[in-house]
Amino acid sequence: MAVTARILGADRLQVDLDQLDETIITALKKGVKEAAEAVRDDTKQTVPRASGHLQENVDIRYENDGLTAEVGWFDDESYYATYLENGTRSRPAQPSLGPALERERGRYRARLTEEVRKVLR
């Protein structure tokens, strides 16, 4: 079972992406990439390091031609990330991915806006 967080760059746009200039789409992709990398890097810093496996294997997958990113653990050996993120009956949660996503959420809109502004100048 994969433990992931999604970062969307296209879902909330009110205009049709086909009508946007390619440089704006490229700027949005760059913002999504930067946000995904920030979440991944933050997660690497805060995930429990018993064996180092989760720290080494947190990864990013891109979809929707780079306008959507999924950050998390995708390999079968990282199944226990779910237990760390959510806790169990006998162990409290030690989340790292969720808090990293929340920290990025506050910067995300500004990150996308700045990338689009750069190309419009």
Side-chain angles (χ1 to χ4, degrees):
M1 171 196 311
V3 177
T4 63
R6 292 178 67 79
I7 299 170
L8 308 171
D11 283 6
R12 294 195 176 171
L13 290 177
Q14 297 297 319
V15 296
D16 187 4
L17 286 174
D18 293 335
Q19 295 175 358
L20 290 177
D21 185 85
E22 186 60 37
T23 57
I24 293 175
I25 294 172
T26 300
L28 291 171
K29 289 177 186 180
K30 183 177 179 192
V32 168
K33 182 177 189 277
E34 288 174 358
E37 289 172 351
V39 171
R40 179 201 59 205
D41 295 345
D42 189 348
T43 301
K44 281 184 177 186
Q45 294 298 315
T46 59
V47 70
R49 293 178 178 86
S51 69
H53 177 83
L54 293 180
Q55 185 181 25
E56 294 169 8
N57 287 286
V58 63
D59 201 6
I60 304 169
R61 289 186 181 173
Y62 294 97
E63 300 171 5
N64 196 13
D65 198 28
L67 289 168
T68 302
E70 204 167 10
V71 181
W73 295 275
F74 303 99
D75 62 319
D76 291 338
E77 295 83 34
S78 298
Y79 69 91
Y80 60 96
T82 294
Y83 307 128
L84 288 174
E85 283 291 313
N86 302 313
T88 66
R89 286 185 199 161
S90 60
R91 300 199 96 174
Q94 294 178 292
S96 55
L97 181 61
L101 181 64
E102 285 303 312
R103 284 188 286 276
E104 179 59 26
R105 186 182 312 271
R107 298 180 284 232
Y108 184 60
R109 182 177 295 195
R111 192 183 296 276
L112 288 181
T113 301
E114 179 58 27
E115 290 304 323
V116 171
R117 281 188 182 150
K118 285 179 187 177
V119 299
L120 293 177
R121 290 183 190 152

